[in-house]
Every structure is written in C-alpha cells, then in structure tokens.
Amino acid sequence: DRVYKPVKGLYRLTSFKELGPQEETTEDVRLAPLKIREEQFYPLFAAWLKNDLEEVTHAIALGGNIFRDRWGTPDVLGKNESRRSDVIKGPTSIVSAEIKIDLSGLVTGFGQACAYRLFSHKSYLVIPKQTPAEELTRIESLCQMFGLGLVVFNPKSVSLPDFRLVIRPIKSEPDLFYTNRYIKQVEKELFL
C-alpha cells in the first residue's frame, strides 16, 4: 500500500501518486519551438554511430526521398566492413537509422525503422529522451520484439544531442535484392 506501479517496470511511492501522469510529464514533453530541424541531427548521429558506438566504419546522412520508395530512405545509412589489418575478415553489413524529434511521429518512425530491415542488417530508431515513460516502455518492448536498436537523445540541443543507447539491434539478413537496389544509389558516398 506504500508503493504503486504507474507504468510497466516502474514502481513509485504512493506519496507521489497525487501528481497525475499529465502533470508529471507535461513540462518534460514540451519541446522548444521547432527551430531545430531533424536533418541537423543526421550527421551528428552518423558520427556517433561511427566514433562512439563503433557500429559502422563509415556512415552518411541521407533523409528525404533519395531511394524514391515510401518509407525507403533512412535518415542515416552506414556500412561496417573489415579493416585491412583485421586477421579474420567478416562480411560487409548495412546499418540504417530513423530519427524523430517530434513525439507525434514515434509510431511512424518505428514503422520506418522496421521497413529498413528489408535492406539493412541492423536498424535503429532514434527518439527524444523526453518521450513519456509509458510510451517509451511500449517502444522499448516493440524494438526488442522486432530486433530494432533504440537510442534516445536531446532534440533541444544540436551542440549536445547526448545520444544514449537503450537497446542494441539484432543483426539479421536482409533481402539482398533490395540491399543492392538501394545501396547502388548511394554507392559512391557510402563506399568511398
């Protein structure tokens, strides 16, 4: 009777129960006026994916409709290849990411990240850390079920996005027909 469970995996003292979920999260959820554009985070995430997470050997910012397919163009696309100095060489793998700065686009972003598994070995969904706890819990569960990586970040600051890995993606084999079809369009940028 001294503890209650507001969302899955979270326990809280009942003395904090008087604050309703809207009261608790309203200030956190409100993002600054969208002077900051989502595209500004693409190269930052590409660099984080390569330098901090060391998930790829090269990454590029894409976005838009470069692949000319509905839900076909990831915001960031990377490749992971063996280095010349590696004793044992592995196959090249493709990594994609979908970034959302607007909380209203989380479900769409999840669907896009799932669609990228058609041509990627790994796929990430990158969402604001201000996502309400209940919604974040659902997205975490879905990402685990579908093998997506989940990263949270601060969409209020381009200078300090503070990307944080929540869930690592599960590597899977894409349909190589689609992988080759899409990668051919960015081959010069991705395969220097």
Side-chain angles (χ1 to χ4, degrees), residues 51 60 112 178:
N51 302 325
I60 57 174
Q112 289 171 293
Y178 290 104

Side-chain angles (χ1 to χ4, degrees), residues 37-105:
R37 293 183 338 271
E38 189 178 278
E39 297 81 28
Q40 294 174 280
F41 292 100
Y42 299 172
L44 300 173
F45 185 75
W48 182 80
L49 200 59
K50 178 183 177 189
N51 302 325
D52 295 0
L53 201 57
E54 298 179 349
E55 185 74 43
V56 296
T57 52
H58 183 63
I60 57 174
L62 284 179
N65 193 16
I66 292 171
F67 292 163
R68 306 209 191 308
D69 244 344
R70 185 172 170 90
W71 287 8
T73 306
D75 297 330
V76 174
L77 189 66
K79 68 170 179 170
N80 189 24
E81 293 183 309
S82 297
R83 293 173 176 30
R84 289 184 184 186
S85 60
D86 290 347
V87 176
I88 304 211
K89 310 265 190 253
T92 299
S93 62
I94 302 299
V95 178
S96 59
E98 181 62 32
I99 300 172
K100 291 295 179 197
I101 63 169
D102 183 10
L103 295 176
S104 65

Side-chain angles (χ1 to χ4, degrees), residues 80-149:
N80 189 24
E81 293 183 309
S82 297
R83 293 173 176 30
R84 289 184 184 186
S85 60
D86 290 347
V87 176
I88 304 211
K89 310 265 190 253
T92 299
S93 62
I94 302 299
V95 178
S96 59
E98 181 62 32
I99 300 172
K100 291 295 179 197
I101 63 169
D102 183 10
L103 295 176
S104 65
L106 298 182
V107 173
T108 301
F110 173 77
Q112 289 171 293
C114 283
Y116 303 153
R117 290 182 52 125
L118 180 64
F119 58 87
S120 301
H121 294 85
K122 293 181 180 181
S123 184
Y124 283 91
L125 175 60
V126 185
I127 63 173
K129 67 180 181 182
Q130 295 86 354
T131 302
E134 187 173 343
E135 204 165 343
L136 182 60
T137 303
R138 285 184 186 150
I139 290 173
E140 284 179 23
S141 294
L142 286 167
C143 285
Q144 285 178 334
M145 288 172 61
F146 287 87
L148 298 177

Side-chain angles (χ1 to χ4, degrees), residues 23-42:
E23 281 183 63
E24 287 180 300
T25 59
T26 303
E27 190 152 335
D28 291 339
V29 171
R30 267 188 263 138
L31 300 176
L34 294 180
K35 296 174 189 164
I36 296 175
R37 293 183 338 271
E38 189 178 278
E39 297 81 28
Q40 294 174 280
F41 292 100
Y42 299 172

